[in-house]
Amino acid sequence: MASHIVGYPRMGPRRELKFALESFWDGTSGIEELQEVGANLRSFAWKQMAEAGIKYIPSNTFSYYDQVLDTTAMLGAVPPRYGWSGSEIEFDIYFSMARGTASVPAMEMTKWFDTNYHYIVPELAPDVVLSYSSHKAVIEFKEAKALGIETVPVLIGPVSFLLLSKAAKGFEKSFSLLSLIDKVLAVYKEVVTELKEAGATWIQFDEPTLVMDLDTYELETFTYAYSELDSSVSGLNVLIQTYFADVPAAAYKTLTALKGVAGFGFDLVRGEKTLDLIRSEFPSGKYLFAGVVDGRNIWANDLTASLSTLQALEGNVGKDKIVVSTSCSLLHTAVDLVNENKLDKETKSWLAFAAQKVAEVNALAKALSGHKDEVFFSANAAAHASRKSSPRVTNEAVQKATAALKGSDHHRATSVRARLDAQQKKLNLPILPTTTCGSFPQTMELRKVRRDYKVNKISEEDYVNAIKAEINKVVKLQEELDLDVLVHGEPERNDMVEYFGEQLSGFAFTINGWVQSYGSRCVKPPIIYGDVSRCKPMTVFWSSLAQSMTSRPMKGMLTGPVTILNWSFVRNDQPRFETCYQIALAIKDEVEDLERAGINIIQIDEAAFREGLPLRKSEQAFYLDWAVRSFRITNYGVKDTTQIHTHMCYSNVNDIIHSIVDLDADVITIENSRSDGKLLLVFLEGVKYDAGIGPGVYDIHSPRIPSPEEIADRISKMLAVLDNNILWVNPDCGLKTRKYSEVKPALSNMVAAAKLLRVQLATAK
């Protein structure tokens, strides 16, 4: 029986690609060194899958930055501002699109569906000229073939590429992106032809937008696109892969009616309703790539249950037409559990990272063909029994506290306008108050201090003194820059989620469980295995210390419950909202302790609030209800004079703006600059917002430093749609990933822009 992997992590077991990229960007290594690391990682992944017995091994899922950007390069869809000459796209143009340059901003970045991965959004105009400009897919297929490994080249499908794109500036409302389908298909035909000539026998088109709510025209475009590709793919087996949710009935009908397609891939973990569609009707003679192994979580598969599902499908599909697969690319999980030597034996037995999931896929395929590995299945069953009965998982007091939440909406007692008035009397801030979103640069020296303390190379006293010195440096810098509301810079924190998880019960942690977020940026999600509670204050010491260093307001910085949930690997044995409420109660305790310690501004970051939004509209209201409620639980008991901030970044919040209003935060800072002011459209369209708001005035994910004039221009555009008494001035996001040589001039220019606008507003009165 055949096996298949949708895609594989690209960073490497120990983040080899991250370090190679950053070395290349810093100019300390060259193209050859970067390409060598890339080649080694690809070879490692292909050989690992081949040795595990996987039949359909993907190629072209490796990327130096992002797979959608790779497709943009393949099509030659380079925005004119990058000055591309039209030749084969090399690293200079590629990374300029991803990161920007000193003079040109980067392309927009946003969340990949409901994951924490970010993709670079293609910008397309009606007159765009497309040409085959990156041969990466063919090069990597040939590279694997030279190693003796037959692979399935993977391409972002042509329709999903267009649906994930945005209209270039000035054309937002004037044309349909799908009108470019013939231009896109012309390049895809060239790519397919070249892959056939190179010896490919299968090709995988990822069309994840098929799980969305698509209209008739969009579905008709799928039918048209693949009928147009039919002659080009003749002689190839075509797999169309979907993931992340159920495929709606209309889309399923459209998809399975495509004539030139040999197989269909479905997420049967998050797409349980798709099973009913398959059982009711599946096209005769076609392959079902059954995604029964979860590509988005780290729990060991229930092999017995998955095998039962697969066996039940044999009657609908045919025994020789089922291919065991992952639910989606393994990009969204950690690489290999073998690198974890600090997890206890019991917890480790409950888990499966990418390498282990490859083994699970193969074990299921063998079992389905009558060659069941009884020892492997028995160990898996024992691990599941252990997890179900472990006393570490359940905390009765936490469950009682969560149950007691029922019956209240947890709104603060007074309106946001009344609270803002009370807060202003206490804080006495100027109009257009300036602040940052939390973190300051994490230098190599700072990381070394934390690392040395963790392995007992330095004493607790030395560690505390080093962190105190760093906080003092950050506070003094902000005072010198004349920022109005300060932060302590978070030098004690490794990650905005992991830091809190380490101090909460019910969490476990990895050493090398890294997952790519964007570019070279990786996160190490904690694992929520049990009921969550706070054992003691987590941030009060550092926030109080920072406030004692300045007379200016100091924000207490917390990560919100929805973000902790969405940026963790979450237990799958109870509803997600139950776990979120538990986290909310823990954060509530921290908020109230900060308030008692004299912290008058508390920021509860919900960077991942939208990330958990279900892809189907019919399922979104329920999520938004419990997500909003979770945030409100954290702060509904504070005084009117305590100002509650929240922060969101790099996701399209326009369509959930009413839920954001319903959070009832006093101030929200939110990404705006990289998406070219898209957020402001909701206010132009009449959305009433009474709370404070700080749309980001510059993009911190690019090394580019904007001028005071550029920032002032952005603020002026905001003032055209927002009252000056609610507008805050801040960057898009935290400054952790930037260098001080970038942060100091950027913040200086930001403050100068705010002061310039204050003068203009005062003069205009």
Side-chain angles (χ1 to χ4, degrees):
M1 196 60 62
S3 52
H4 167 249
I5 304 296
V6 177
Y8 202 79
R10 56 183 70 129
M11 278 290 129
R14 299 184 186 275
R15 295 181 292 164
E16 291 85 347
L17 182 59
K18 169 190 172 64
F19 300 121
L21 281 167
E22 291 173 358
S23 176
F24 175 71
W25 293 335
D26 287 344
T28 54
S29 65
I31 288 175
E32 293 79 12
E33 291 93 333
L34 177 58
Q35 290 175 327
E36 182 181 1
V37 170
N40 288 340
L41 289 172
R42 290 190 295 271
S43 172
F44 168 81
W46 290 328
K47 287 178 179 176
Q48 184 183 61
M49 287 183 272
E51 289 166 5
I54 302 300
K55 180 175 181 180
Y56 299 112
I57 297 170
S59 60
N60 198 41
T61 58
F62 174 86
S63 177
Y64 285 104
Y65 204 95
D66 164 52
Q67 68 269 17
V68 181
L69 183 62
D70 292 347
T71 310
T72 298
M74 181 186 83
L75 294 166
V78 181
R81 64 180 179 275
Y82 297 105
W84 176 53
S85 64
S87 55
E88 181 84 2
I89 291 175
E90 305 291 350
F91 281 151
D92 55 347
I93 295 295
Y94 182 83
F95 288 132
S96 293
M97 291 191 286
R99 307 177 72 234
T101 67
S103 58
V104 182
M107 293 169 69
E108 181 182 349
M109 181 170 69
T110 196
K111 295 290 175 71
W112 176 246
F113 294 84
D114 58 347
T115 74
N116 185 32
Y117 180 78
H118 302 67
Y119 76 96
I120 302 298
V121 183
E123 302 170 19
L124 303 173
D127 59 352
V128 65
V129 176
L130 302 180
S131 61
Y132 187 12
S133 302
S134 170
H135 293 67
K136 176 180 176 294
V138 178
I139 291 167
E140 292 184 9
F141 174 79
K142 290 179 177 178
E143 188 180 312
K145 195 171 184 180
L147 295 171
I149 300 170
E150 291 295 323
T151 61
V152 178
V154 179
L155 301 175
I156 298 291
V159 185
S160 287
F161 174 80
L162 288 172
L163 292 176
L164 292 167
S165 301
K166 71 173 186 178
K169 196 169 183 179
F171 297 101
E172 291 88 350
K173 296 183 179 179
S174 61
F175 89 109
S176 164
L177 289 160
L178 291 180
S179 67
L180 299 175
I181 189 63
D182 286 317
K183 290 183 178 183
V184 168
L185 290 174
V187 178
Y188 272 77
K189 288 174 183 177
E190 290 186 68
V191 179
V192 168
T193 299
E194 199 170 308
L195 284 167
K196 276 202 298 186
E197 291 170 352
T201 57
W202 278 84
I203 187 168
Q204 176 178 319
F205 291 105
D206 281 5
E207 292 283 12
T209 56
L210 278 165
V211 305
M212 307 291 283
D213 294 309
L214 302 180
D215 60 33
T216 301
Y217 172 57
E218 290 165 335
L219 291 175
E220 287 173 349
T221 304
F222 274 99
T223 302
Y224 172 77
Y226 285 94
S227 64
E228 282 293 302
L229 283 173
D230 200 27
S231 60
S232 298
V233 298
S234 177
L236 276 174
N237 292 294
V238 173
L239 163 64
I240 297 183
Q241 181 70 48
T242 68
Y243 35 78
F244 297 151
D246 282 302
V247 176
Y252 180 84
K253 185 176 180 181
T254 297
L255 176 59
T256 55
L258 297 176
K259 297 213 173 2
V261 176
F264 308 100
F266 297 109
D267 181 338
L268 301 183
V269 176
R270 291 188 172 224
E272 292 180 2
K273 293 176 185 174
T274 304
L275 277 169
D276 294 332
L277 295 173
I278 295 168
R279 291 182 185 119
S280 65
E281 185 176 8
F282 191 80
S284 175
K286 304 290 186 181
Y287 288 91
L288 170 64
F289 285 70
V292 293
V293 173
D294 193 350
R296 288 185 58 176
N297 216 328
I298 44 66
W299 302 108
N301 185 271
D302 184 340
L303 295 178
T304 301
S306 292
L307 183 59
S308 176
T309 297
L310 293 165
Q311 288 171 333
L313 287 170
E314 286 182 328
N316 307 96
V317 178
K319 192 175 180 73
D320 62 338
K321 295 297 181 182
I322 293 182
V323 179
V324 182
S325 185
T326 52
S327 65
C328 62
S329 172
L330 298 176
L331 172 71
H332 308 289
T333 190
V335 179
D336 197 341
L337 197 55
V338 76
N339 297 317
E340 302 303 324
N341 53 24
K342 297 223 172 152
L343 281 171
D344 66 86
K345 187 176 180 182
E346 182 182 43
T347 304
K348 200 170 179 178
S349 74
W350 301 343
L351 307 178
F353 290 179
Q356 288 69 46
K357 290 177 186 293
V358 168
E360 288 178 339
V361 167
N362 188 56
L364 285 166
K366 286 170 64 179
L368 197 59
S369 64
H371 303 284
K372 185 178 179 183
D373 185 335
E374 295 292 351
V375 173
F376 193 83
F377 269 70
S378 177
N380 176 264
H384 278 273
S386 159
R387 184 177 166 212
K388 188 174 287 188
S389 62
S390 175
R392 302 164 62 192
V393 172
T394 305
N395 182 322
E396 191 175 334
V398 171
Q399 294 188 352
K400 283 182 179 178
T402 307
L405 292 170
K406 292 171 183 173
S408 171
D409 64 4
H410 301 97
H411 262 299
R412 291 173 77 177
T414 52
S415 71
V416 69
R417 283 190 172 182
R419 299 197 308 265
L420 287 174
D421 287 343
Q423 292 156 12
Q424 180 58 15
K425 286 174 185 173
K426 188 169 189 175
L427 298 170
N428 193 30
L429 297 172
I431 61 167
L432 307 181
T434 55
T435 190
T436 65
C437 296
S439 61
F440 264 65
Q442 298 248 331
T443 62
M444 294 297 292
E445 295 78 13
L446 180 57
R447 293 176 192 274
K448 185 177 186 301
V449 166
R450 285 204 310 266
R451 194 164 55 245
D452 287 350
Y453 176 58
K454 206 164 191 176
V455 297
N456 298 315
K457 281 189 177 180
I458 61 173
S459 68
E460 183 174 4
E461 182 181 2
D462 288 342
Y463 169 74
V464 169
N465 287 335
I467 298 299
K468 278 183 181 178
E470 183 70 19
I471 291 173
N472 188 58
K473 180 181 81 173
V474 169
V475 170
K476 297 305 178 201
L477 172 61
Q478 291 172 93
E479 289 181 329
E480 289 167 13
L481 292 167
D482 205 18
L483 286 156
D484 300 303
V485 174
L486 311 190
V487 297
H488 77 290
E490 305 176 13
E492 78 284 12
R493 304 184 190 184
N494 46 4
D495 174 83
M496 65 184 289
V497 173
E498 187 176 40
Y499 175 78
F500 289 94
E502 285 175 338
Q503 301 181 78
L504 296 168
S505 68
F507 281 76
F509 304 90
T510 64
I511 299 171
N512 290 295
W514 298 97
V515 179
Q516 185 183 18
S517 179
Y518 66 87
S520 67
R521 168 81 170 138
C522 299
V523 294
K524 188 150 58 73
I527 299 164
I528 304 177
Y529 66 83
D531 290 335
V532 177
S533 63
R534 188 190 75 145
C535 306
K536 61 183 180 179
M538 302 179 284
T539 66
V540 176
F541 173 78
W542 298 116
S543 292
S544 300
L545 176 71
Q547 183 64 82
S548 73
M549 296 175 177
T550 182
S551 60
R552 303 187 188 205
M554 175 66 62
K555 286 196 279 191
M557 300 298 304
L558 305 175
T559 303
V562 182
T563 295
I564 290 177
L565 183 88
N566 285 335
W567 284 358
S568 297
F569 291 124
V570 183
R571 59 189 293 189
N572 57 2
D573 59 346
Q574 73 175 15
R576 287 174 70 88
F577 68 84
E578 292 281 358
T579 303
C580 200
Y581 289 160
Q582 293 177 0
I583 301 168
L585 286 171
I587 299 300
K588 176 180 181 289
D589 291 343
E590 189 72 13
V591 167
E592 292 172 358
D593 278 347
L594 283 169
E595 184 182 55
R596 279 191 285 270
I599 303 301
N600 295 315
I601 302 179
I602 302 170
Q603 182 168 308
I604 307 168
D605 283 343
E606 285 295 12
F609 183 83
R610 194 190 189 286
E611 192 170 298
L613 187 71
L615 300 175
R616 304 281 292 284
K617 288 177 182 168
S618 61
E619 301 167 6
Q620 292 175 357
F622 177 67
Y623 167 79
L624 290 169
D625 178 70
W626 64 255
V628 167
R629 189 174 175 220
S630 295
F631 179 83
R632 292 202 305 240
I633 287 168
T634 66
N635 63 87
Y636 75 95
V638 301
K639 302 171 188 171
D640 285 359
T641 51
T642 298
Q643 191 168 84
I644 298 296
H645 288 221
T646 191
H647 170 69
M648 295 182 184
C649 58
Y650 298 98
S651 56
N652 181 13
V653 298
N654 291 32
D655 56 345
I656 59 165
I657 192 68
H658 295 290
S659 293
I660 290 171
V661 172
D662 207 27
L663 290 173
D664 201 27
D666 297 310
V667 178
I668 180 169
T669 55
I670 195 163
E671 183 275 327
N672 176 69
S673 62
R674 186 149 182 172
S675 59
D676 201 23
K678 187 192 301 180
L679 170 69
L680 302 181
L681 292 174
V682 298
F683 303 111
L684 279 169
E685 292 164 1
V687 170
K688 187 172 176 55
Y689 196 74
D690 293 329
I693 183 167
V697 297
Y698 79 90
D699 175 24
I700 67 88
H701 290 97
S702 168
R704 182 173 174 270
I705 299 165
S707 67
E709 294 76 19
E710 181 182 333
I711 295 175
D713 180 61
R714 283 210 173 107
I715 298 171
S716 295
K717 288 176 180 174
M718 296 172 193
L719 287 169
V721 295
L722 294 166
D723 292 340
N724 59 41
N725 63 334
I726 67 168
L727 185 61
W728 285 62
V729 177
N730 46 264
D732 264 349
C733 203
L735 305 170
K736 176 181 178 180
T737 60
R738 298 267 57 90
K739 300 173 183 175
Y740 274 104
S741 59
E742 299 159 345
V743 165
K744 289 178 183 179
L747 289 180
S748 177
N749 291 351
M750 184 186 82
V751 172
K755 289 180 176 179
L756 174 65
L757 268 295
R758 287 173 193 162
V759 171
Q760 291 179 3
L761 288 169
T763 306
K765 283 184 179 178

